[in-house]
Amino acid sequence: RSEQPESESTDGLVSYLKLNGTCPTPNGLMPYQVHSVPMGFSVMVVAGVISGLLGIGSGAFKVLAMDQAMRLPFKVSTTTSNFMIGVTAAASAGVYLARGYIDPGLSMPVMLGVLPGALLGAKVLVGAKTKVLRIVFSLVLVLMALKMVYNNLSGGI
């Protein structure tokens, strides 16, 4: 799918919520239009249910909802999903820590590795080709699915 801007969205909900926006590209700001908000919301609900049932992050489902259903540019979908994951994690981290579900000695080295990786990923994203990102994302989804099937069939966690 082309990353070029489409015609103006006629969805009243999009206009009311002021969801259309712009994103940076090497050639300057590119406007984008949001479509099918109810469909995107529905996919997000399914993503939440799957996340709750399986105990997995639903970021991949959120990216699919924003990219395919709402027709946002891929980079906007991935960065928005990343932001939403961060907000969710920040909100629940205090609760989990207070209940003793987080081992600070284990989580600190993980955080120290994730932080520079996330910063590097954000820098690489700006110059990355969308087609390559879609291929990498698809491969990661397939590998996640195969790993889940393998764990289920082998009785693992």
Side-chain angles (χ1 to χ4, degrees), residues 5-155:
E6 300 174 8
S7 61
E8 188 68 29
S9 175
T10 58
D11 188 348
L13 192 55
V14 171
S15 299
Y16 179 74
L17 295 174
K18 300 178 184 171
L19 296 178
N20 293 329
T22 59
C23 62
T25 68
N27 301 325
L29 290 179
M30 176 185 76
Y32 63 86
Q33 286 74 40
V34 179
H35 303 272
S36 306
V37 174
M39 174 62 82
F41 177 76
S42 300
V43 175
M44 297 289 182
V45 168
V46 171
V49 169
I50 291 172
S51 177
L53 286 174
L54 301 179
I56 61 170
S58 60
F61 294 109
K62 292 174 187 173
V63 170
L64 287 173
M66 289 183 279
D67 180 56
Q68 297 297 312
M70 300 173 76
R71 297 195 306 233
L72 292 176
F74 190 73
K75 290 180 181 181
V76 173
S77 300
T78 57
T79 54
T80 302
S81 174
N82 198 14
F83 176 75
M84 292 183 328
I85 291 168
V87 170
T88 304
S92 59
V95 174
Y96 292 146
L97 187 61
R99 292 183 179 178
Y101 294 147
I102 296 175
D103 178 2
L106 177 63
S107 61
M108 183 56 79
V110 172
M111 183 199 69
L112 291 175
V114 169
L115 183 61
L119 292 172
L120 178 63
K123 290 205 179 281
V124 170
L125 178 69
V126 174
K129 301 249 185 264
T130 302
K131 184 175 183 176
V132 172
L133 290 175
R134 286 181 189 274
I135 291 169
V136 169
F137 181 72
S138 298
L139 290 173
V140 169
L141 283 180
V142 168
L143 289 173
M144 284 174 39
L146 291 174
K147 175 79 169 132
M148 289 174 69
V149 169
Y150 173 77
N151 284 348
N152 186 27
L153 295 176
S154 67

